[in-house]
Amino acid sequence: GDVDDAKDEL
Amino acid sequence: MNIFRLAGDMTHLLSILVLLLKIYATKSCSGISRKTQELYAIVFVARYLDLFTDFISVYNTFMKVVFIASSLAIVWCMRFHPMVRRSYDRELDTFRHYFLVGASFALALILHEKFTVQEIFWAFSIYLEAVAILPQLVLLQRSGNVDNLTGQYIFFLGAYRAFYILNWIYRYLTEPHFTRWIACVSGVVQTALYADFFYYYFISWKNNSKLKLPA
């Protein structure tokens, strides 16, 4: 899993 | 952005507007837990520390600012507005919410994606949001009667959570590496807390009667 993705959810 | 995520954000926004409308139109916050509102203010401030470090979109930034500002405004009204504060159900709102803050922070120190200040506060905000509705549900249970706007506020808040779960299912099926265990597991716990409320909400809606929770 990639945990580096930006936190795009609110 | 998919349709479920957008529906989730819009019902979240709607829930806040309904609450602001109730407070503004009736100059009353009866039936509203100040402790839950304070927890939400902490949740948004802790989660959106990235407001100054990561830019995602205008939409994202705008919504973050709206959530922080509205939650602080609601807490301010309940504490300091001369008329609104008088209607606060202080004796019913006795949930020990500081335990929730402490437990959520302890969990965030153990379970997080990375050991950085921002990531720990992010995980903390996710755990705290999952349980932040508890003082509100306890207050409703104690008062028994739920006025229309308060009922709708909690209904939209629950709908927001349900849409986020659909959003995660959609993303899991359409994005190759969508794994967000902390957010998803906490989100399912959070939504489950509304199950009881939804049950009585639908019964009152079906019978076209006033929403009442059993003692």
Side-chain angles (χ1 to χ4, degrees):
Chain A
D2 202 339
V3 293
D4 260 342
D5 52 347
K7 291 183 165 41
D8 59 339
E9 292 182 351
L10 300 159
Chain B
M1 176 73 84
N2 59 65
I3 189 70
F4 303 113
R5 162 74 201 286
L6 184 65
D9 286 350
M10 290 306 115
T11 42
H12 193 187
L13 201 57
L14 209 53
S15 74
I16 292 169
L17 288 176
V18 167
L19 181 54
L20 285 170
L21 176 75
K22 175 197 158 73
I23 293 174
Y24 183 78
T26 64
K27 295 285 180 287
S28 159
C29 63
S30 69
I32 300 296
S33 165
R34 194 177 79 196
K35 298 190 170 184
T36 283
Q37 297 306 319
E38 285 172 353
L39 293 181
Y40 282 136
I42 295 170
V43 163
F44 293 134
V45 170
R47 185 174 309 164
Y48 302 150
L49 291 176
D50 65 354
L51 208 45
F52 302 102
T53 57
D54 300 283
F55 178 77
I56 292 149
S57 64
V58 173
Y59 171 84
N60 195 278
T61 300
F62 175 77
M63 294 292 271
K64 284 174 175 172
V65 171
V66 168
F67 288 146
I68 290 175
S70 58
S71 62
L72 291 176
I74 289 163
V75 171
W76 184 89
C77 280
M78 294 185 78
R79 277 190 175 273
F80 303 114
H81 188 285
M83 281 176 80
V84 175
R85 62 183 294 217
R86 262 184 281 160
S87 58
Y88 172 50
D89 298 320
R90 189 179 305 272
E91 66 291 344
L92 295 175
D93 195 19
T94 54
F95 196 97
R96 309 272 180 97
H97 65 326
Y98 291 114
F99 280 119
L100 298 178
V101 177
S104 302
F105 197 77
L107 190 58
L109 287 175
I110 301 164
L111 284 175
H112 45 258
E113 291 185 351
K114 278 182 234 146
F115 194 73
T116 63
V117 172
Q118 203 163 306
E119 287 290 338
I120 285 169
F121 273 101
W122 180 83
F124 160 67
S125 81
I126 294 288
Y127 302 140
L128 189 59
E129 187 188 354
V131 291
I133 196 66
L134 287 175
Q136 178 64 65
L137 293 176
V138 168
L139 191 155
L140 285 190
Q141 200 97 48
R142 285 192 184 158
S143 65
N145 276 313
V146 187
D147 67 81
N148 281 338
L149 286 173
T150 303
Q152 278 155 13
Y153 164 64
I154 297 164
F155 173 79
F156 284 127
L157 213 47
Y160 142 61
R161 296 315 313 180
F163 279 124
Y164 255 71
I165 289 182
L166 294 176
N167 154 58
W168 290 325
I169 293 170
Y170 180 86
R171 293 187 73 167
Y172 181 75
L173 296 174
T174 56
E175 291 174 30
H177 299 292
F178 185 76
T179 47
R180 244 171 247 176
W181 292 110
I182 289 177
C184 294
V185 173
S186 308
V188 169
V189 169
Q190 184 176 356
T191 313
L193 295 179
Y194 289 90
D196 199 49
F197 173 84
F198 266 92
Y199 174 75
Y200 292 106
Y201 189 90
F202 279 119
I203 284 188
S204 79
W205 175 76
K206 209 177 80 190
N207 301 337
N208 203 12
S209 62
K210 204 167 151 43
L211 176 59
K212 267 192 173 176
L213 299 176

